[in-house]
Structure formats: C-alpha cells, structure tokens
Amino acid sequence: MLDRYDIFYGISKDTKEKFLYWVYSTFFSFVILLWINNQKGFLFVKTATNLREVFSLLLSVFFLGLIIYFIAVNVLIYKDIKRFKKRDKTLFIYTRVLNEAQKVRVLKNIYVRKYLYTLLSGNAENQELTLSEQQWKYYHKKLGTPKTLILKLKFLHLVERKIKDEEPLKDKEIDFVNTLLFSKDDTELLRKLEKDVKNKRMFNKIFGL
C-alpha cells in the first residue's frame, strides 16, 4: 500500500485509492458483521449450517483478511523504510557537489527526461512522432506546452552542465535532483509514448494512411 517513495515524495493516487478501498471495505464489513452476529459474537468462524451462516463465515474471513493485510503492510512499510535509511539514504544529495555514484544515476535520469521533453517539444531532429491530437493534448497536459518544455530543457541543460563540471548546486537544484533520483514517471511516460507511436504507425499502415 505504502512504500518509501510515498513516505518521502507524497502518497500516489493509486495508493490513495487502495487505502480508501481498504477503509470502506473494513468499515462496511464491520457494520454488517455487527448487524448479523449481534447476539452470537462479532465473528463467525465455525461450520456454517445455513445460508445466513455461510454469508457470515465468508464475511468474517474477508474481515480477518483485511486486518491481516493491514498488519502485514505496516510491517513491510517499517522494514522498507528501515532498509531505506540504512542503504538508500546514500543516494540523497546533501552536499552541493555530487559524488560519482550520485552523478551517474542523476545524469542517467536527466538524459531520459531530456529525451522525453525534446520529443514532445517538437525540437527533435528527424522527428517522426505520429500522435493523434488527443494524444498530444494528453502529453502536453501532463508535462506542459512545447514552450514550457523548452524552458524545462534549458533548466535540465543547466543542471547537467553543473553536475559534469562539478559546480556547486543551488538549493532548488538540489531539491530537483533529489526528486529526480527516485522518480519513475519519466521512464513510464516514455514507454507509453513509444507504445502510442507504435500503435499509431500500425493503425496508419493497416488503413493506408
């Protein structure tokens, strides 16, 4: 449900949806179990002899599963954060000049983002992006207009140059690099873009466009 990325960089939409599903499921299961088993105890965990008891048994197992899931997830969160503090914290940027390991990882992520922004800004050489108008709107809504992407590219070039030349980073640049270190959004969006382009080309080929 939660992991170190949620803790340090905000809870994702998918995680929020799962958490709300767990809350609603637990609440309604609890209410229904109280209503069905008010005189026989809260949970029904014995052999069912009629349809009502079968329903009560299934609901009791479901409720217990939700509780066990909650406990297990919290244990995993604790272990994940503990492991993060021991091992992965070395990836956080605290100084204004990066060490070699940080430099390699940050530059790799910068190259991915630069490539993505370059494609969607319309500045790529020999660009062959065959996207529909709706798809263009989706990516520009997600990342910004072509003009905005060009400005973002300038900032990326600046950070890249400072990292390569080992120039001290400013506070906002350090925050940007820390966020970039653990972000998977660019890679996922680039995969989606490549898939959309491939599907569009296939569509055009089939219909002779």
Side-chain angles (χ1 to χ4, degrees), residues 33 89 100 129:
L33 281 169
K89 71 176 183 180
E100 286 302 315
L129 282 186

Side-chain angles (χ1 to χ4, degrees), residues 155-208:
F155 180 73
L156 283 170
H157 283 299
L158 172 66
V159 175
E160 178 188 358
R161 181 185 60 77
K162 293 180 78 170
I163 291 173
K164 286 182 176 179
D165 295 343
E166 297 188 351
E167 292 183 24
L169 298 173
K170 296 179 180 178
D171 289 341
K172 71 173 184 177
E173 294 165 350
I174 293 173
D175 292 338
F176 169 77
V177 167
N178 274 322
T179 303
L180 190 64
L181 269 172
F182 297 98
S183 175
K184 295 181 179 179
D185 294 344
D186 295 332
T187 305
E188 292 174 357
L189 205 59
L190 187 58
R191 286 174 183 166
K192 176 174 172 52
L193 177 62
E194 291 173 346
K195 184 178 179 181
D196 287 342
V197 171
K198 182 179 179 181
N199 289 340
K200 180 69 174 179
R201 286 176 179 168
M202 189 178 297
F203 177 85
N204 290 345
K205 186 176 180 181
I206 292 172
F207 291 94

Side-chain angles (χ1 to χ4, degrees), residues 119-122 127 129-142 144 146 193:
L119 287 175
L120 293 171
S121 67
Q127 183 170 343
L129 282 186
T130 52
L131 297 174
S132 67
E133 184 179 351
Q134 187 176 4
Q135 288 171 329
W136 277 112
K137 286 181 179 178
Y138 168 81
Y139 289 108
H140 288 154
K141 184 178 179 181
K142 198 88 173 173
L193 177 62

Side-chain angles (χ1 to χ4, degrees), residues 19-165:
F19 179 71
L20 286 175
Y21 170 78
W22 180 87
V23 169
Y24 291 142
S25 298
T26 304
F27 174 76
F28 286 113
S29 300
F30 178 78
V31 172
I32 294 173
L33 281 169
L34 279 179
W35 176 62
I36 294 177
N37 302 324
N38 56 351
Q39 295 179 348
K40 302 178 181 179
F42 175 64
L43 295 173
F44 186 88
V45 286
K46 56 185 179 181
T47 305
T49 57
N50 54 55
L51 188 61
R52 181 187 178 93
E53 289 184 350
V54 169
F55 177 72
S56 180
L57 176 62
L58 292 175
L59 196 59
S60 297
V61 171
F62 178 67
F63 180 81
L64 286 173
L66 289 171
I67 300 301
I68 293 171
Y69 173 77
F70 178 78
I71 295 171
V73 165
N74 276 277
V75 170
L76 291 174
I77 291 171
Y78 173 76
K79 291 177 67 176
D80 199 34
I81 294 174
K82 190 175 180 181
R83 185 170 64 251
F84 174 81
K85 288 179 178 178
K86 285 185 176 180
R87 185 182 63 187
D88 295 345
K89 71 176 183 180
T90 56
L91 294 173
F92 270 114
I93 310 300
Y94 297 106
T95 59
R96 298 188 182 278
V97 178
L98 281 63
N99 62 40
E100 286 302 315
Q102 293 168 340
K103 188 185 296 185
V104 169
R105 181 157 178 171
V106 172
L107 287 175
K108 181 181 177 181
N109 289 0
I110 285 178
Y111 295 150
V112 172
R113 182 167 291 190
K114 279 176 60 180
Y115 180 61
L116 181 64
Y117 286 7
T118 301
L119 287 175
L120 293 171
S121 67
N123 281 352
E125 294 182 7
N126 302 320
Q127 183 170 343
E128 296 181 358
L129 282 186
T130 52
L131 297 174
S132 67
E133 184 179 351
Q134 187 176 4
Q135 288 171 329
W136 277 112
K137 286 181 179 178
Y138 168 81
Y139 289 108
H140 288 154
K141 184 178 179 181
K142 198 88 173 173
L143 299 175
T145 63
K147 289 184 178 179
T148 304
L149 291 177
I150 290 172
L151 292 174
K152 290 181 177 180
L153 278 168
K154 289 181 179 179
F155 180 73
L156 283 170
H157 283 299
L158 172 66
V159 175
E160 178 188 358
R161 181 185 60 77
K162 293 180 78 170
I163 291 173
K164 286 182 176 179
D165 295 343

